Amino acid sequence: MPSTSNKQQRTNEKNPLLQTFDHAPFSKIKNEHFKPAFLAVIEEARKEIDAIITNKNAPTFENTIAALDYSGYQLDRVSSVFFNLNSAETNEEIQKIAQEVSPLLSEFSNDITLNEELFKRVKTVYDQREKLNLTVEESTLLSKRYKSFSRNGANLSEDKKKRLREIDAKLAKLKLKFGENILAETNKYQMHLTNESDLDGLPEGAKEAATQLAKSKEKDGWLITLDYPSYIPFMKYAKNRELRKELSMAFGSKAFKNDALDNQENVLKIANLRHERANLLGYKTHAHFVLEERMAETPEKVTSFLNELLTKAKPAAQNEFYELEQFAKDLDGIERLQKWDGAYYSEKLKQKLFNLDDEKLKPYFKLENVIAGVFKVAEKLFGLTFKEVFGVDKYHEEVKTYEVYDNNNNFISLFYADFHPRPGKRGGAWMTSFKSQFRKNGEDSRPHISNVCNFTPSTATKPSLLTFNEVTTLFHEFGHGLHGMLANTTYPSLSGTSVYWDFVELPSQVLENWCYEKEALELFATHYETGGLIPMELVQKIKASATFQEGMATLRQISFGKLDMEWHAKNPSEIKDVKAFENKAFEGTQLYPDTPETCMSTAFAHIFQGGYSSGYYSYKWAEVLDADAFAYFKEHGIFNKAIATKFKEHVLSKGGTENPMTLYKRFRGCEPKIEALLERAGLLSA
C-alpha cells in the first residue's frame, strides 16, 4: 500500500502550481490546488532558509543576504497568482482558502524574521558592512534585510516573539475579513428601477448599461449598483434627488449597519493590534513604526505637511463650496447642499463654466484607443512597443495580454490588462505583478505586470467609452505598470514598485499629466464613429477645467490623510465609537453636513486592508513630486527624450535600490518644491 508521502508526492506532481512555469497556468488551476501548493512551497522555502542557516561557511553577503533574497521564489509565484485572483476573480471558496492560508504565510514570515540563528548570520554580515566593498544596491539590500529582522521582532524576548506571532496571525485574518465584507456589501445592493422617469438626466450610455445589467439578472427595467461605472454616472447626472440620496447612503454605509457584514469591530481590532505590535517593537505608535521607512520619516512631518496644504487649500475649498451651494440654490432652490448633491451640481456648474460635459468627451475616449494612446506615449518617452498576444493563459476572457519590447527588440515584460467590473472583482483600480524582475546567474528574469480597473463596459450599441476621469485612471495605473515593467535590478525585493510608499505614486501620478496635453491627446483622442480628432476647443476646456474645484478635492484628500493618521499615530485603546472618532478626525476639513448613517472608516480599504496604513498622505506627497517632475518636462517638451531617459534610468528602473530622494535629485537636479503643486492646482493665490 503506498505511503501517505508517496501519495502526496503524486498529487503534487499533478498540481500546476508546483510545476516550473513562466506564464501563470490559469486554465489548469483549480481551487483545490491552492492550499496543497501553499503547504508545499512554504515547506520548500523553509528548506532554503535551513540551508542558509546550516551553511558551515562563515556568513557572507552572497551566502546569507543574497541567498535569502532569492529564496522562496516559487512561494512568491503561487502567492501572486492566488492573491491577485482573490482581488480580481474571487468567489466564496477562494475567500475561504485565503482565510486559511493567510495565517500560514504570516507564521512563515515570522519564522524567518524571528529566527535567531538566521538573524545572527545577517547581523554578522551587517556588522562587517564597512569592510565589504558593497555596491549601492548590495548595501541597500543588506540594510533593508537587517532592518526587516530588527523591525519585526528579532531582538525581542521569547514571550514577546510569541505575542508578535499571535498579533500577525490575527491581523492577517482581520484584514481579509474587512475586505470580504466590503465586497459582499457592494455585491448585495441593487437599486431596481422600473419607471424610466427615475433615470431622467442619465446619459443614454449609462441607461443602456443599466438595462443590460438588469437583463443579466433577469429583471425588467434598470439596475444601478455600487460598482463605480454604475454608481458615478447616477450620482453625477440623475435628477431624482431622493434616489441619489438612497444610492449615496448605500455607498457610504457599507459595512456600517450593525449586521453580519459590519466592520466597526474589525476596524477597532486592527487599529489596536497594530498599536500593540508597534509598542512591542519599541515604537510609540504604528505610524512611528511605518514612517521610519518612508520619505516623510515621522508622524510629525506628515501632520506638518498636511497642515501646510490645508492652510492653502481650505480658503479655496470654502469659496468653491459656497459657489456650488449658491449655484444649486439658484438652479433648484436647494437650501443646504448634501453629499448626494455634490457630484450632480458640480457637473452642472462645470458645464456652465466650461461647457464641458463628460458625455461630449466620452466619444473621443474609446477604451481601445486610449490603450493604444498610452502605449504610444510609452513608446515616445521610453522606446517601448506593445504587441497583443493570444497564446498566454488568462484568468478571465476579458483579460488582454501584451508582450513589451524595447527599441532593440529585447523582451521587457509581459503585460496583463483587465478593465471591466465583475461580481468577483473588488472595486477600484490597481497595478500588480505575477512575476518579479531580478538578475541571477547572469540571466535577467523579466517581470509579468498587470493593471486591473473597473471601467464602463461596452453595451449592445456602444463600445466601452471612458469618462475623462477613467482616462486619467488608466494612465495612472499604467504609470505604476511602467515602474514594474522597466525594473532593472539584481535583487527581487528591491525591484519595480518595491520602494517607499510615499515614492511609489510618483510614476503613476506623473503620467496622468499627459492626459491634459494637446500633443499627447492628438495621439489617441479620436471620435469612435467619425474618426475625427478631438477638437482643440475641447482640449483647451479640459486644461481650463483641470483646476475646477481643486481646493475641494485637495481638502478631501487631506481629510483622508488626517483620518489615517488619527487611527495610527495615537493610542487607539480609548476609541469606543468609530463614527464619533471619525467625525472628530474630520473636524476642520468637512464641507458637507454629516450623515450619521454613513462611515468612511468601515470601508476605508486603503488603510485597513491595503498597504496604506499611516501612508494615505503619500498621494499628496507624491503629487508634490509629480508636479515638480512634470514642470521639468514642460520646460523642455513633454516628449523630451533626454529627460524621459533620465526619468527611466534614475526612477523607473532603479526600484528601491537607493534612497528615493537621492534618485529624485539625480533625475531633477534638486529637491522637489511644493510650489509646483500649488501652482498646478491653482492654489498659490488662495
Side-chain angles (χ1 to χ4, degrees):
M1 189 171 178
S3 69
T4 307
S5 60
N6 287 342
K7 189 177 175 186
Q8 186 61 54
Q9 187 178 348
R10 284 202 301 275
T11 304
N12 287 352
E13 283 168 2
K14 292 178 184 174
N15 190 325
L17 290 164
L18 296 177
Q19 314 312 311
T20 301
F21 58 85
D22 185 33
H23 306 148
F26 293 113
S27 64
K28 296 175 185 170
I29 301 169
K30 297 185 171 68
N31 285 345
E32 60 261 30
H33 289 138
F34 282 116
K35 193 167 180 188
F38 271 112
L39 293 171
V41 293
I42 287 172
E43 189 54 38
E44 184 185 317
R46 281 190 199 283
K47 286 174 183 171
E48 292 172 345
I49 300 298
D50 288 342
I52 296 169
I53 296 166
T54 57
N55 190 327
K56 295 288 189 283
N57 296 319
T60 65
F61 179 85
E62 281 302 323
N63 72 21
T64 301
I65 307 303
L68 195 49
D69 210 59
Y70 289 128
S71 70
Y73 173 74
Q74 196 72 358
L75 173 57
D76 289 341
R77 295 299 313 269
V78 171
S79 294
S80 70
V81 169
F82 176 74
F83 285 103
N84 285 327
L85 285 179
N86 193 35
S87 291
E89 190 63 17
T90 196
N91 53 50
E92 284 185 12
E93 195 178 350
I94 286 179
Q95 290 175 359
K96 184 172 179 290
I97 296 165
Q99 287 284 357
E100 291 170 2
V101 300
S102 290
L104 298 178
L105 293 167
S106 176
E107 183 185 359
F108 173 67
S109 175
N110 281 331
D111 284 346
I112 294 175
T113 53
L114 300 178
N115 188 302
E116 286 183 28
E117 293 305 310
L118 186 58
F119 181 50
K120 273 183 199 168
R121 289 186 70 93
V122 171
K123 190 173 186 305
T124 299
V125 182
Y126 184 75
D127 289 344
Q128 298 168 357
R129 63 192 180 282
E130 304 298 335
K131 307 170 194 167
L132 296 178
N133 196 26
L134 300 174
T135 66
V136 172
E137 184 175 348
E138 287 168 346
S139 185
T140 300
L141 181 65
L142 175 56
S143 176
K144 181 181 174 181
R145 189 55 63 207
Y146 176 77
K147 281 183 180 175
S148 77
F149 281 87
S150 61
R151 282 169 51 82
N152 285 289
N155 293 314
L156 294 180
S157 61
E158 281 308 313
D159 60 322
K160 287 185 175 177
K161 282 181 181 178
K162 182 172 179 286
R163 180 57 187 151
L164 192 74
R165 286 174 181 274
E166 290 168 358
I167 290 172
D168 286 345
K170 286 179 182 175
L171 281 171
K173 295 192 91 162
L174 283 167
K175 288 194 288 184
L176 278 172
K177 186 63 183 161
F178 180 93
E180 286 168 11
N181 286 352
I182 298 169
L183 182 61
E185 282 272 65
T186 303
N187 288 339
K188 189 171 77 165
Y189 178 84
Q190 293 178 347
M191 182 191 279
H192 184 208
L193 304 174
T194 52
N195 186 341
E196 192 164 5
S197 65
D198 287 339
L199 290 97
D200 282 356
L202 224 60
E204 279 309 310
K207 286 172 74 172
E208 190 179 354
T211 306
Q212 198 164 290
L213 192 59
K215 278 182 184 165
S216 74
K217 305 283 185 184
E218 298 180 349
K219 291 179 185 289
D220 295 328
W222 301 264
L223 270 189
I224 307 296
T225 71
L226 300 182
D227 286 319
Y228 282 112
S230 180
Y231 174 77
I232 287 173
F234 199 89
M235 295 307 296
K236 197 183 272 191
Y237 296 108
K239 287 181 181 177
N240 190 317
R241 194 184 187 203
E242 280 307 307
L243 290 178
R244 288 201 315 268
K245 177 181 178 180
E246 180 191 324
L247 196 63
S248 171
M249 297 294 264
F251 192 90
S253 63
K254 280 190 284 191
F256 185 63
K257 300 186 183 74
N258 294 307
D259 59 8
L261 298 175
D262 193 279
N263 268 338
Q264 290 174 84
E265 199 59 39
N266 292 330
V267 163
L268 291 171
K269 283 177 180 174
I270 290 169
N272 279 286
L273 285 169
R274 283 173 173 168
H275 184 73
E276 184 188 348
R277 189 183 194 282
N279 288 171
L280 262 181
L281 294 167
Y283 294 86
K284 187 178 175 185
T285 67
H286 178 67
H288 285 85
F289 170 76
V290 168
L291 292 166
E292 184 182 64
E293 293 288 280
R294 299 286 191 268
M295 291 177 82
E297 296 172 336
T298 66
E300 292 74 24
K301 257 195 196 175
V302 171
T303 302
S304 171
F305 169 70
L306 291 173
N307 285 339
E308 183 184 358
L309 273 181
L310 182 62
T311 304
K312 296 290 184 184
K314 192 170 180 180
Q318 288 172 324
N319 289 338
E320 290 164 4
F321 188 75
Y322 176 75
E323 178 187 31
L324 186 64
E325 199 157 48
Q326 285 301 118
F327 175 73
K329 188 174 183 180
D330 294 344
L331 192 67
D332 288 330
I334 302 293
E335 287 297 331
R336 188 75 172 97
L337 209 62
Q338 301 289 346
K339 289 176 183 174
W340 45 89
D341 299 317
Y344 180 77
Y345 288 106
S346 288
E347 184 62 24
K348 286 260 185 285
L349 180 57
K350 189 175 176 183
Q351 287 177 33
K352 181 189 172 190
L353 294 175
F354 305 102
N355 191 24
L356 186 67
D357 179 355
D358 246 339
E359 289 306 302
K360 287 180 190 167
L361 291 175
K362 281 169 73 173
Y364 295 97
F365 296 128
K366 181 182 172 184
L367 174 61
E368 288 76 9
N369 293 347
V370 181
I371 296 167
V374 82
F375 288 171
K376 192 72 180 169
V377 168
E379 182 187 345
K380 288 173 77 74
L381 288 171
F382 309 116
L384 300 176
T385 55
F386 292 76
K387 176 188 165 194
E388 187 168 7
V389 288
F390 301 93
V392 174
D393 222 338
K394 305 185 290 192
Y395 57 85
H396 193 278
E397 60 185 9
E398 289 181 351
V399 177
K400 295 177 181 293
T401 49
Y402 303 86
E403 286 177 350
V404 188
Y405 295 89
D406 68 10
N407 277 337
N408 300 314
N409 211 31
N410 295 311
F411 176 71
I412 295 299
S413 174
L414 182 66
F415 177 57
Y416 296 81
D418 179 4
F419 288 124
H420 301 299
R422 294 185 296 273
K425 190 183 197 180
R426 71 174 168 88
W430 63 94
M431 166 266 180
T432 188
S433 158
F434 286 108
K435 179 172 174 269
S436 298
Q437 179 275 330
F438 59 90
R439 282 194 297 278
K440 189 179 182 186
N441 301 328
E443 185 186 337
D444 185 1
S445 175
R446 296 311 302 168
H448 296 178
I449 302 300
S450 176
N451 276 174
V452 189
C453 305
N454 280 277
F455 294 147
T456 307
S458 58
T459 65
T461 63
K462 287 190 181 74
S464 174
L465 302 176
L466 305 189
T467 64
F468 187 69
N469 185 54
E470 287 177 323
V471 174
T472 60
T473 297
L474 190 149
F475 270 69
H476 178 103
E477 297 308 331
F478 191 76
H480 282 309
L482 288 172
H483 203 179
M485 289 179 228
L486 291 169
N488 185 25
T489 65
T490 303
Y491 302 105
S493 72
L494 300 179
S495 181
T497 56
S498 299
V499 299
Y500 284 0
W501 276 84
D502 44 10
F503 191 61
V504 80
E505 294 297 334
L506 167 61
S508 55
Q509 289 180 189
V510 79
L511 203 68
E512 289 182 42
N513 290 280
W514 272 261
C515 300
Y516 296 89
E517 299 297 322
K518 171 181 178 286
E519 211 179 328
L521 286 167
E522 285 178 346
L523 298 174
F524 65 92
T526 55
H527 198 286
Y528 80 100
E529 288 177 313
T530 67
L533 194 63
I534 190 169
M536 270 316 301
E537 174 201 3
L538 282 181
V539 175
Q540 283 158 0
K541 285 176 179 177
I542 289 171
K543 282 188 77 78
S545 67
T547 59
F548 175 65
Q549 294 186 344
E550 189 60 33
M552 286 169 65
T554 301
L555 196 66
R556 183 172 179 267
Q557 287 295 95
I558 292 168
S559 75
F560 295 169
K562 281 183 165 286
L563 177 62
D564 175 27
M565 294 310 289
E566 286 296 315
W567 274 114
H568 294 116
K570 295 176 180 174
N571 182 347
S573 61
E574 297 301 310
I575 305 168
K576 301 292 181 250
D577 185 327
V578 171
K579 175 69 175 178
F581 172 79
E582 178 174 294
N583 281 349
K584 194 162 187 340
F586 280 150
E587 275 176 11
T589 61
Q590 292 300 82
L591 298 168
Y592 293 94
D594 177 52
T595 45
E597 303 90 338
T598 65
C599 184
M600 167 85 186
S601 298
T602 55
F604 200 172
H606 273 78
I607 68 169
F608 289 113
Q609 184 191 10
Y612 280 87
S613 62
S614 306
Y616 199 85
Y617 75 90
S618 60
Y619 281 103
K620 296 312 287 185
W621 184 279
E623 268 192 63
V624 172
L625 297 174
D626 100 65
D628 187 70
F630 192 66
Y632 189 26
F633 273 100
K634 287 277 282 183
E635 196 181 327
H636 300 279
I638 66 165
F639 288 115
N640 183 288
K641 272 283 172 35
I643 293 172
T645 300
K646 282 173 73 176
F647 192 70
K648 176 182 170 182
E649 288 180 355
H650 300 307
V651 177
L652 296 176
S653 69
K654 283 287 192 288
T657 56
E658 290 189 67
N659 182 286
M661 190 58 83
T662 303
L663 294 174
Y664 187 83
K665 286 196 289 188
R666 208 172 285 149
F667 154 68
R668 186 67 167 97
C670 57
E671 289 198 5
K673 298 177 180 67
I674 198 170
E675 286 72 24
L677 171 62
L678 297 173
E679 184 179 345
R680 185 178 70 184
L683 298 176
L684 271 180
S685 57

